[in-house]
Amino acid sequence: MPKVVDREQYRKELLNGCVELFAQKGYGSITMRQIAEGLKVSTGTLYHYFDSKEAIFMQLVQELCEQDISRFFAQAPEVETLEARLQVVMAFVLKSLQFYQQQMLLWVDFFQQNRTGSDEELQFLRQIWDGTRDATVDYLQLPNTELADFLMIFIDGLIIQCVYNRGIEDMDWFHHQSQLMIQMVCSHEQLSPQS
């Protein structure tokens, strides 16, 4: 009797295996053949699930973002104030900082290799940003998306600084910057007219 394969589950398993492969070799350096070898599957099997390396990467980005949002909401406590919710978000980022640094470097590598991304790729990545931003708006209970965009850009900046200038060891700096941002956002919210 032939083995029954849950195609979607198997596709996710292949994607999860790609995280480490992309991290080790970089997006630009790894080939479909090397990905197949690393996953211990045939190149034909890999092409059966993914049209290209770009398709693997795009689906991997989506999967990681969805997992990240689910993981956050599974552990996020119910807290009353915006300041407390921001503290929860920044603690989660700090706890996952090494993972986010790895993701950031992969994104930079991807964009270096695909300088002329297709409209479809750019639209897809915009949808990923929007989904993450909307989850941020929901958790923080913000009246609009502008503060969520600001927060996500701020976090990206912190991650970049940790990659290039600070390292994971400089957590006092990370915490200090987080506290400054939280004070600024909470002050902005207190000064904003209530709708």
Side-chain angles (χ1 to χ4, degrees), residues 81-96:
T81 67
L82 175 60
E83 181 177 354
R85 290 188 296 274
L86 286 165
Q87 296 287 359
V88 169
V89 168
M90 296 313 296
F92 182 80
V93 170
L94 181 58
K95 188 170 77 173
S96 305

Side-chain angles (χ1 to χ4, degrees), residues 28-134:
S29 299
I30 199 164
T31 65
M32 286 291 276
R33 179 172 299 220
Q34 290 170 326
I35 293 170
E37 288 170 3
L39 295 173
K40 298 178 178 33
V41 300
S42 71
T43 306
T45 297
L46 191 59
Y47 275 108
H48 178 74
Y49 286 90
F50 309 100
D51 295 338
S52 64
K53 180 172 73 167
E54 291 81 10
I56 293 173
F57 186 80
M58 301 296 271
Q59 290 179 41
L60 182 60
V61 166
Q62 181 175 13
E63 186 69 25
L64 290 175
C65 286
E66 289 173 0
Q67 287 176 7
D68 198 39
I69 290 168
S70 294
R71 201 172 74 241
F72 173 78
F73 279 106
Q75 63 84 48
E78 294 283 331
V79 292
E80 292 295 318
T81 67
L82 175 60
E83 181 177 354
R85 290 188 296 274
L86 286 165
Q87 296 287 359
V88 169
V89 168
M90 296 313 296
F92 182 80
V93 170
L94 181 58
K95 188 170 77 173
S96 305
L97 187 59
Q98 194 163 12
F99 171 74
Y100 290 135
Q101 287 177 322
Q102 184 181 52
Q103 271 189 314
M104 181 72 68
L105 291 173
L106 284 174
W107 278 62
V108 168
D109 191 16
F110 174 78
F111 280 108
Q112 284 178 327
Q113 300 302 314
N114 294 320
R115 291 183 194 271
T116 57
S118 70
D119 288 342
E120 184 179 314
E121 287 174 343
L122 296 174
Q123 179 65 24
F124 175 78
L125 293 173
R126 182 65 195 179
Q127 289 172 349
I128 297 295
W129 176 273
D130 290 348
T132 304
R133 183 196 57 213
D134 293 346

Side-chain angles (χ1 to χ4, degrees), residues 118-186:
S118 70
D119 288 342
E120 184 179 314
E121 287 174 343
L122 296 174
Q123 179 65 24
F124 175 78
L125 293 173
R126 182 65 195 179
Q127 289 172 349
I128 297 295
W129 176 273
D130 290 348
T132 304
R133 183 196 57 213
D134 293 346
T136 303
V137 167
D138 289 346
Y139 178 73
L140 294 176
Q141 301 173 21
L142 298 174
N144 59 55
T145 60
E146 289 175 343
L147 276 174
D149 279 330
F150 168 79
L151 177 62
M152 290 169 56
I153 292 166
F154 174 84
I155 290 170
D156 283 352
L158 280 182
I159 293 167
I160 289 288
Q161 282 297 307
C162 288
V163 167
Y164 294 117
N165 295 325
R166 298 288 177 173
I168 294 177
E169 305 80 36
D170 199 353
M171 291 303 102
D172 288 340
W173 175 85
F174 183 95
H175 182 72
H176 178 72
Q177 295 301 312
S178 298
Q179 296 310 305
L180 286 174
M181 178 274 300
I182 290 169
Q183 288 174 6
M184 186 169 36
V185 169
C186 289

